[in-house]
Amino acid sequence: MNHLLSECHYKCAKSLIAKQTIESLDRLPSLEPMAKQLRSLLSSCLLSVTVSIVLLHIPTRVHSVTLKSDVEALQALMQAVDPVSIVRYSYLHSWDFAFDPCEAAGVFQGILCTFPTDKSANRIMAIDLDPAGYDGFLTASIGNLTELTSLRISKNNFRGPIPETIANLQKLTRLSLPQNLFTGRIPQGIINLKHLQILDLSQNNLSSKIPADITTLRSLVQLSLSNNALSGRIPDLSALWQLSTLDLSSNNLDGIVPNLPINLRKLSLSHNVLSGHISPVSVLQHLTVLDLSDNRLSGLIRQEILTLPLVERLNISNNQFTEMEPMPYPREGLQLRVLDAHANRLHGHLPISLVNIANLSSIDLSHNLFSGRIPLEYGAKLGSSWKSLLLEDNFLIGNLPPQFINGTVAVRANFAHNCLRCPPNIPFCRGGQRANTECVEQQDHST
């Protein structure tokens, strides 16, 4: 290309000299025929130079320096997407296979490549598609991108099974396919991806069981399989010692809560059909968020659960727990701010020991079987550190603590559907109370 440009400059220089010569010859009538011939040659030369310069600026098909099988895999990926769903300005709209995927500028958005120094072919190392609503399939040829370290296709409409050839991507550290329409099972070959750190298949339509051998993925730090139709038992995951986030919520998982990774920080098993006790959770001292809501968990809520040192939000609502173990003495340094235990079968008196959790600000014990009086200690907390206290639909009796009557209006509280003696102007009791006989019967049953 540079050689052609130099030749054009040379021709142009000669043409300018020729033009000056013609002008000199025109002044001599005897040399007019020679001037005409030179003028014709000059026009041809200038046309040649002009065409050469124009050709220099026309994009031409570039000889690919990216591995042919990688290019073919990208072509297969694009061909499996409905063209109607590839809208203007989306990443896939920029994919033009007239150019090399790794070398060309301004095309193939969402692609990262390796550039070897030994003159071997470039390889695709990452695919990160934008959430443009692509409607298509993930073809088996994805398994040919063996240098891939990250595959992210989220918030689109990819459907069908996740191809088993995903197992060929031995260098993957991230596989994120959330918020699509993938169906079928989790590919068994996923257990071969030993470098995988993030596995996110949430919000799809995957079914069947969680592979028991998933525990061989020792590098995992995040495992998100929520909002699918997975069934069966949760395997023992304690071997995944680096795992910090585990989200298996909104599936059809049953059985007991298994042994879990000791370094977990966020755990959500909500909206399943898990049963039994939750003692395996009590050893997870690094947890900051714990959500076990909407299951069939039962028995005692042990003080070890309530006093996990770093938990800020604890949701154990919509289960079948019957008792909350009191804390025998105040605990310093607890981070718990939100406790949600509504819609269980908790009975007996309201737990006074909750006032010993310094950072607690929101408590929901509604829709249970609590009886007896509201502790006076609750009155001292509501309006100071407690900003929300929900006790509706229990079997509480007696007068409200005086602090509930003498102010504390800038709080969220509900004491309706108990057997309390509420002054008529107290908004916390709106909705009415039960008949006293109901609470007496519950008190007799609890004792």
Side-chain angles (χ1 to χ4, degrees), residues 1-49:
M1 191 70 74
N2 291 332
H3 173 73
L4 179 59
L5 187 60
S6 298
E7 185 178 344
C8 289
H9 289 161
Y10 176 67
K11 288 181 178 179
C12 188
K14 291 199 300 184
S15 299
L16 290 173
I17 295 171
K19 183 180 180 183
Q20 293 173 355
T21 303
I22 291 169
E23 290 173 350
S24 299
L25 292 175
D26 280 340
R27 298 189 188 100
L28 301 174
S30 60
L31 297 178
E32 185 176 347
M34 184 180 297
K36 289 182 178 180
Q37 289 181 352
L38 286 174
R39 190 175 289 108
S40 176
L41 287 172
L42 177 61
S43 298
S44 299
C45 179
L46 289 175
L47 177 61
S48 174
V49 171

Side-chain angles (χ1 to χ4, degrees), residues 372 374 396-400 415-416 418-422 429 433 436:
I374 298 176
L396 304 172
I397 61 172
N399 297 323
L400 297 181
F415 309 140
N418 284 282
C419 297
L420 297 166
R421 290 192 289 272
C422 287
C429 295
Q433 298 291 312
N436 287 335

Side-chain angles (χ1 to χ4, degrees), residues 116-134:
T117 57
D118 60 359
K119 296 184 180 180
S120 58
N122 298 335
R123 300 295 306 274
I124 308 299
M125 65 173 289
I127 298 177
D128 187 355
L129 293 186
D130 54 330
Y134 303 123

Side-chain angles (χ1 to χ4, degrees), residues 243-298:
L243 198 67
S244 64
T245 298
L246 176 61
D247 189 352
L248 304 179
S249 60
S250 299
N251 281 287
N252 298 316
L253 299 168
D254 57 25
I256 63 172
V257 176
N259 292 326
L260 296 165
I262 198 69
N263 290 314
L264 275 180
R265 296 182 180 277
K266 295 181 180 180
L267 173 62
S268 180
L269 304 178
S270 63
H271 305 287
N272 282 288
V273 285
L274 301 172
S275 58
H277 58 83
I278 57 172
S279 49
V281 177
S282 62
V283 299
L284 305 180
Q285 297 294 301
H286 300 285
L287 280 180
T288 60
V289 176
L290 175 57
D291 190 351
L292 304 174
S293 62
D294 196 15
N295 280 284
R296 298 176 185 175
L297 300 166
S298 60

Side-chain angles (χ1 to χ4, degrees), residues 67-84:
L67 192 69
K68 182 180 179 182
S69 60
D70 280 17
V71 177
E72 291 173 345
L74 294 181
Q75 288 175 324
L77 174 60
M78 187 170 182
Q79 289 167 2
V81 175
D82 184 350
V84 176

